[in-house]
Amino acid sequence: MRAFWSLLAVAALVLVGLAGAAAAGGRVILALAVPYAAFAVFLGGFCWRVVRWSRAPVPFRIPVTCGQQKSLPWIRSSRIDNPFTVPAVVVRMAGEVLLFRSLFRNNRARLAGERLVLGENKYLWLGSLAFHWSLLMILLRHLRLFMEPVPALVNRLEQLDGFFQLGAPPIYLSDIALLASLGYLIVRRFRDPMVRYISLFTDYFALLLLLGIAGTGMLMRYYLRADIVSVKQLALSIAAFHPVVPSALSPVFLVHLLLVSTLAAYFPFSKLMHAGGVFLSPTRNLANNSRSRRHVNPWNYPVKTHPYAEWEEEFREKLKEAGIPLEAEHAGNARTD
Ligand code: HEM
């Protein structure tokens, strides 16, 4: 049912896009108002979440580690898996962000009859890696729509991506990788009963929205050719805050833009924020040096204590009357003895 509602939501967005493209003022709303509003929500929401996270108290070093901590010189420590210095933290973080190292170590737990069997599961790692890298490649290639002249790096990426010259226009490898990985990530949620059980509306919605964006994008590139000159005119004018809406924008492009805007506005309030959160995670971004350095909680306030000596002084007479031996006197006697 959750997958169904997500599919329905994405289908409704596509219909809204198509209806807006056909309506009189709809094109201006879809091409200008919606992208500007979505971008503002994205920026505001992203900053709000990052600021909130960065203000969360982290009084202790709490790095999650998978190796031997640095201690005595003759015990070999794991420099990257249990980072002791900031450069080592950066290396570990780079491995996490660029190669999804912790996902690579992911294990699958299954019951085989009565026995719990742990096994390797590299498919999720491979699917996620393919998805994120192809998405990055596509976003970098899209820069040609927003920049004039197009940077040499973007042209080079485009050549590399279409290297095999399959079809006309050449099919991008990143498009194939994106479709295949998205397909895998969706099918995985249906196929595995345990994953299906924990999957929420937002899990399906994010994937289906991305599939909708990729689908409309590819439709424009390989079948219903978009007028790239008009798209570029719109994109440049939007980026320069002098918006112009060319008349040749196709309905598929407007749907593509609406889906992208929805994704942008939804991003800061969804699990997709892991893109920013990974850098702010105290379990990842702290060096594990608590053994060698004393970390004092910076917002510790001075605590008013009442030590025994003071207490004894306060009740000295009463204690004496009750015949309870006094430590102060006892210590004095011990000294004179
Ligand atoms: C999350 C953001 C976006 C994603 C994931 C995305 C994805 C895609 C994909 C997969 C394609 C197929 C061809 C290719 O890989 O280049 C495509 C094409 C296209 N996209 Fe996007 N897109 C995004 C944002 C945008 C934006 C903001 C615009 C316009 C301002 C845009 C305009 C286009 C156009 C015009 C094409 C056709 C390109 C061609 O014919 O070569 N896209 N998009």
Side-chain angles (χ1 to χ4, degrees):
M1 266 327 258
R2 295 166 191 160
F4 173 73
W5 287 119
S6 318
L7 186 64
L8 211 64
V10 176
L13 282 169
V14 172
L15 288 181
V16 168
L18 289 176
R27 302 167 64 79
V28 177
I29 295 178
L30 287 180
L32 295 184
V34 172
Y36 270 134
F39 192 61
V41 173
F42 173 77
L43 268 188
F46 202 99
C47 294
W48 169 68
R49 292 213 60 181
V50 167
V51 167
R52 254 190 54 191
W53 278 330
S54 57
R55 285 169 58 183
V58 185
F60 312 115
R61 298 258 141 174
I62 50 169
V64 168
T65 58
C66 306
Q68 175 63 47
Q69 182 179 13
K70 183 174 164 57
S71 56
L72 298 168
W74 43 271
I75 299 178
R76 202 164 62 175
S77 65
S78 176
R79 278 201 291 178
I80 302 304
D81 272 333
N82 201 331
F84 179 70
T85 58
V86 172
V89 169
V90 172
V91 173
R92 184 167 82 138
M93 189 66 102
E96 191 58 33
V97 172
L98 302 174
L99 301 171
F100 303 177
R101 180 135 195 273
S102 62
L103 195 56
F104 185 75
R105 304 165 69 113
N106 176 38
N107 277 339
R108 174 198 292 258
R110 282 274 173 278
L111 271 180
E114 293 281 286
R115 279 189 325 132
L116 180 71
V117 181
L118 286 172
E120 292 207 330
N121 176 17
K122 299 283 181 257
Y123 292 118
L124 181 59
W125 170 77
L126 201 63
S128 306
L129 203 67
F131 166 71
H132 285 87
W133 274 103
S134 49
L135 190 64
L136 178 68
M137 186 70 147
I138 289 167
L139 292 181
L140 287 177
R141 277 199 289 95
H142 270 61
L143 285 181
R144 84 193 151 106
L145 297 174
F146 292 88
M147 296 169 104
E148 191 54 49
V150 178
L153 176 75
V154 175
N155 285 329
R156 190 85 196 94
L157 282 180
E158 208 163 305
Q159 278 172 2
L160 260 177
D161 209 357
F163 176 76
F164 286 111
Q165 298 280 321
L166 292 168
I171 297 177
Y172 291 127
L173 291 178
S174 55
D175 284 359
I176 299 173
L178 185 76
L179 267 193
S181 54
L182 271 176
Y184 163 74
L185 292 171
I186 293 173
V187 167
R188 167 182 162 270
R189 292 208 172 263
F190 285 112
R191 232 193 40 193
D192 188 329
M194 285 198 279
V195 182
R196 192 166 59 221
Y197 182 70
I198 57 165
S199 294
L200 304 172
F201 171 89
T202 170
D203 296 314
Y204 294 109
F205 183 64
L207 288 171
L208 292 173
L209 196 56
L210 280 157
L211 194 65
I213 294 172
T216 46
M218 287 175 210
L219 206 60
M220 270 190 289
R221 176 165 171 84
Y222 304 114
Y223 296 106
L224 310 168
R225 299 289 299 160
D227 181 0
I228 296 296
V229 177
S230 307
V231 171
K232 188 152 182 166
Q233 196 185 354
L234 172 78
L236 286 174
S237 73
I238 282 185
F241 290 101
H242 280 297
V244 180
V245 183
S247 54
L249 296 178
S250 66
V252 189
F253 169 72
L254 292 172
V255 173
H256 187 65
L257 199 57
L258 176 64
L259 296 182
V260 171
S261 304
T262 310
L263 185 74
Y266 176 64
F267 195 97
F269 312 102
S270 68
K271 65 173 200 168
L272 303 175
M273 263 311 282
H274 67 270
V278 65
F279 296 99
L280 286 144
S281 169
T283 55
R284 295 255 152 230
N285 65 14
L286 292 173
N288 191 16
N289 57 6
S290 338
R291 271 190 174 172
S292 65
R293 214 173 287 165
R294 183 171 148 78
H295 298 283
V296 178
N297 184 346
W299 56 90
N300 263 355
Y301 53 89
V303 179
K304 172 99 188 71
T305 54
H306 195 201
Y308 178 76
E310 273 178 32
W311 182 84
E312 194 183 83
E313 196 50 40
E314 196 179 330
F315 296 100
R316 161 179 286 276
E317 295 314 316
K318 291 196 171 86
L319 289 167
K320 248 184 173 167
E321 268 171 37
I324 297 173
L326 295 175
E327 252 189 23
E329 278 178 12
H330 181 72
N333 291 344
R335 242 179 275 127
T336 46
D337 291 347

